[in-house]
Amino acid sequence: MAGISREAAQVSCRAGLWVLCSLLSMTLGCEYVRPTMNAPLARWDASYGYRSTNLPPSKTGSSDSLFIVASFSGGGTRASALSYGVLRELARTPIRWEGRNKRLVDELNIITALSGGSFTAAYFALYGDRIFHDFEYRFLRKDWEHELRARIFRSPHNWLRLWSPYFGRTHIFSELLDEALFDGHTFGDLVSRRQRPIVFLHASDMATLSRFEFNQRQFDLICSDLSQLRLSVATASSSALPMILSPISMKNYAGQCGFVPPARFTEVRKTTWGRRRANELRSYLDADKRPNIHLLDGGLADNVGMRSVLETTALVGDLESYFQLLGVKNVRKLVYLTVSAETAPDVSQYTLNEIPGLWRSSRALVDIPINRYSTDTFELMSQAVAQWRVQLRQRPPAASSVFTPDADIYFINVSLMELEDREEHARLMDIPTNLSLTDGELDHLLSAASKLLRDDKEFRRLLHDIEAEAAATPLPQQAPNQATGENQRSF
């Protein structure tokens, strides 16, 4: 009888909480327990929204001729810190390009990012140089795990919301990011800035484990208006690591806005990658079969961030077509820069003579494919860059191209795995991938970012080639103290 009483009490407790949740829903509005994260697109327009063609080159900022594509990996705050350290080093690197004094960071055109790297990328796209003044105390040196736990465990209001099957921990994390980091800004605010870089954040589609990108081209497929989506929702979705955070769902409005799929969706692709990506994207066009898209951490699909380049190139056919899609012209130097906070497996965790527990086994299911997938991406990207270099050199002299006749490609790899000092490597590998690091750990990562970038052979080759071109180009007449201006601030 005692057992029956306990069971009855549990049922009664659950029923009571459900009643309270229902009352809360009626009092505060249904969106509090069943939020709709993305808004419908009233009418499709191929020129509307957050897409690269709406962020043109500028004389003082990024140009097309020196085109830098960076990728910021996942890996918690360690990834955020490493990518921030690389940005800071790029800002400390003066160059003269096309007769103008700039910093190398001014030529950053595209950032593909996910998980921990998405916070740095989105903040830089939103606030520009402000990142070098307040990002450390607003994000890097803040205990986000403590903040999130406090919101979950100390708020009866959130207890009730979390009882809903439509609301999860990542929704609370999104609200926290919105208030404490992104200040309520949306992708529409990024369009309004009219400044590069454009950031291609991505999460992982649970149904296909493919990349779901937060750009208007992706949102056109589901007839949704990305401009109304808050940056906090995208970054939280991209960081929704299984078992720690919950998925976030996007509503599929496909078929309601007059979207016309491009021909590349139906054409027979030559490569496996192209066919697979076309199939993944076509799946969003049927809202009856896919009324909701559930998103998890972007690292499950691509923890490096460069598969977007590889897959989109395969989808559209070749490198030339890819840059035509971006609306880019007269590229002389194409730079791919990967920033990876990848970790090495820690075999010391498996020395005990006992069966690993559920937590360790579950983490292995996430870590093993992410680490092996990342290694493959580096190799594939290296091979692709080598092939693209050959294709550029073999073009007919009179061929029409987005690339200039003397165009070159650089592949810079800023990865913690590239450290040659074993002791230094071991210290950095010991830094966890959570959202709370010590000041010493952060300082160590920032220092490593600068060293890895400066020591990279391709980075040194790029600087050498830029200096050689600058030496051959006469310096234009400038007013006193105007040669450097704001661009030469030290950070």
Side-chain angles (χ1 to χ4, degrees), residues 82 416 419 424 428 443-453:
L82 194 69
L416 294 179
L419 285 167
E424 177 79 355
L428 288 165
D443 292 339
H444 208 45
L445 285 163
L446 295 176
S447 176
S450 297
K451 185 178 187 305
L452 284 166
L453 181 61

Side-chain angles (χ1 to χ4, degrees), residues 50 52 55-56 61-62 67-70 72 87 105-112 120-128 190-191 193-200:
Y50 192 60
S52 57
L55 299 179
S62 61
F67 201 93
I68 302 177
V69 181
F72 295 168
L87 278 180
V105 75
D106 295 323
E107 293 291 349
L108 187 52
N109 289 271
I110 295 175
I111 304 176
T112 66
T120 311
Y123 200 86
F124 182 59
L126 179 62
Y127 291 121
L190 296 185
V191 179
R193 290 191 78 231
R194 301 281 289 175
Q195 293 182 18
R196 297 179 182 177
I198 185 170
V199 292
F200 294 148

